[in-house]
């Protein structure tokens, strides 16, 4: 959208991936090979692209068209991955970096869930569904203390990668804690400082 003045390509890709949504509510990482597997992060990125597209274009018609897809991601796919209050990895090392996490509950995936709920709430507000927006906002707010309790390492001033790894402080888990508003102002400053220094 920065490179040209026609957002049609972005819209067509959003609609195409929405049409390929899996029965479990997940958005596939690629349209290849019969709508390839749903990874731990691409459903969140699809919601983010839709959110950014609507913010930049004001295209509420497309937002309304795709809200059933957003709803299936947030009310079906993500909840099916929550165990003991946290989003867990059910498919192994399949994400943007094929990272071998030491544990199933990963800070980055939990941050993405909060980020998606908050952007989904914006989309619901923009399309006139105040009740759904309030519900998703409430779920995002309720997740924050769980994530902080599970992953914040005060001795390092940064978020841990997983609940089973007391040594790794990842770039994604810390950056997305800030982006999603999981980190408090003090935690955000500390986490960004930790990333800058490491």
């Amino acid at each position: 959208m920065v490179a040209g003045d026609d957002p049609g390509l972005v819209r067509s890709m959003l609609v195409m991936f929405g049409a390929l949504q899996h029965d479990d509510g997940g958005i596939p990482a690629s349209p290849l090979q019969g709508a390839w597997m749903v990874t731990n992060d691409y459903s969140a990125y699809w919601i983010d692209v839709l959110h950014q597209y609507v913010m930049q274009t004001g295209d509420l018609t497309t937002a309304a068209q795709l809200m059933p897809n957003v709803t299936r991601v947030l009310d079906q796919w993500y909840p099916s991955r929550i165990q003991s209050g946290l989003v867990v990895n059910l498919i192994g090392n399949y994400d943007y970096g094929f990272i071998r996490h030491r544990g199933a509950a990963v800070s980055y995936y939990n941050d993405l869930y909060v980020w998606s709920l908050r952007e989904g709430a914006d989309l619901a507000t923009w399309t006139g569904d105040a009740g759904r927006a309030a519900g998703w906002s409430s779920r995002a707010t309720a997740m924050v203390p769980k994530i902080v309790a599970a992953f914040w390492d005060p001795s390092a001033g940064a978020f841990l990668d997983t609940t089973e790894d007391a040594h790794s402080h990842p770039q994604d888990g810390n950056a997305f804690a800030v982006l999603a508003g999981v980190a408090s102002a003090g935690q955000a400053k500390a986490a960004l400082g930790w990333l800058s220094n490491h």
Side-chain angles (χ1 to χ4, degrees), residues 6 54 58 69 83-84 87 96 102 114 116 120-121 129 135 149 167 177 182:
D6 180 7
V54 175
N69 302 93
Q83 295 177 8
S84 301
V87 174
Y96 71 94
R102 297 184 187 117
V114 171
S116 298
D129 192 342
H167 304 290
V182 169

Side-chain angles (χ1 to χ4, degrees), residues 93 100 124 137 162 174 192 197:
N93 302 321
R100 293 182 179 137
S137 292
T162 73
N174 282 277
L192 293 174
N197 292 331

Side-chain angles (χ1 to χ4, degrees), residues 8 11 45 66 72 88 92 103 109 111 116 127 132 146 172 191 193:
R11 182 192 179 281
Y45 289 133
L66 295 176
R72 289 177 63 200
V88 296
Y109 301 149
D111 297 335
S116 298
T127 56
R132 196 176 301 276
K146 296 174 187 176
D172 54 15

Side-chain angles (χ1 to χ4, degrees), residues 7 24-25 40 50 58 81 113 115 135 137 156 161 168 174 187 189:
D24 66 3
N40 294 306
L50 177 60
R81 276 136 182 86
Y113 178 44
W115 191 44
S137 292
D161 188 40
S168 301
N174 282 277
Q187 289 169 338
K189 184 175 180 180

Side-chain angles (χ1 to χ4, degrees), residues 10-191:
V10 177
R11 182 192 179 281
S12 66
M13 294 301 288
L14 284 163
V15 170
M16 181 189 74
F17 276 86
L20 295 172
Q21 188 171 34
H22 289 204
D23 290 342
D24 66 3
I27 302 291
S30 167
L32 301 177
Q33 300 173 357
W36 196 60
M37 70 183 299
V38 176
T39 64
N40 294 306
D41 42 9
Y42 278 75
S43 295
Y45 289 133
W46 180 85
I47 290 175
D48 180 57
V49 173
L50 177 60
H51 185 269
Q52 296 295 327
Y53 167 80
V54 175
M55 280 204 329
Q56 296 299 322
T57 66
D59 182 358
L60 295 177
T61 300
T62 298
Q65 175 188 344
L66 295 176
M67 280 306 293
N69 302 93
V70 174
T71 300
R72 289 177 63 200
V73 171
L74 296 179
D75 290 351
Q76 184 178 341
W77 190 80
Y78 267 114
S80 73
R81 276 136 182 86
I82 293 179
Q83 295 177 8
S84 301
L86 295 171
V87 174
V88 296
N89 174 12
L90 301 177
I91 62 169
N93 302 321
Y94 290 101
D95 61 19
Y96 71 94
F98 294 95
I99 298 168
R100 293 182 179 137
H101 299 282
R102 297 184 187 117
V106 179
S107 58
Y108 162 61
Y109 301 149
N110 282 273
D111 297 335
L112 286 178
Y113 178 44
V114 171
W115 191 44
S116 298
L117 285 167
R118 289 186 167 152
E119 291 194 330
D122 286 343
L123 289 161
T125 298
W126 299 338
T127 56
D129 192 342
R132 196 176 301 276
W136 288 341
S137 292
S138 178
R139 276 167 49 194
T141 299
M143 281 296 296
V144 169
K146 296 174 187 176
I147 296 170
V148 171
F151 300 107
W152 179 249
D153 179 1
S155 64
F159 289 88
L160 293 164
D161 188 40
T162 73
T163 55
E164 299 175 37
D165 182 353
H167 304 290
S168 301
H169 302 86
Q171 184 176 24
D172 54 15
N174 282 277
F176 275 91
V178 176
L179 286 171
V182 169
S184 67
Q187 289 169 338
K189 184 175 180 180

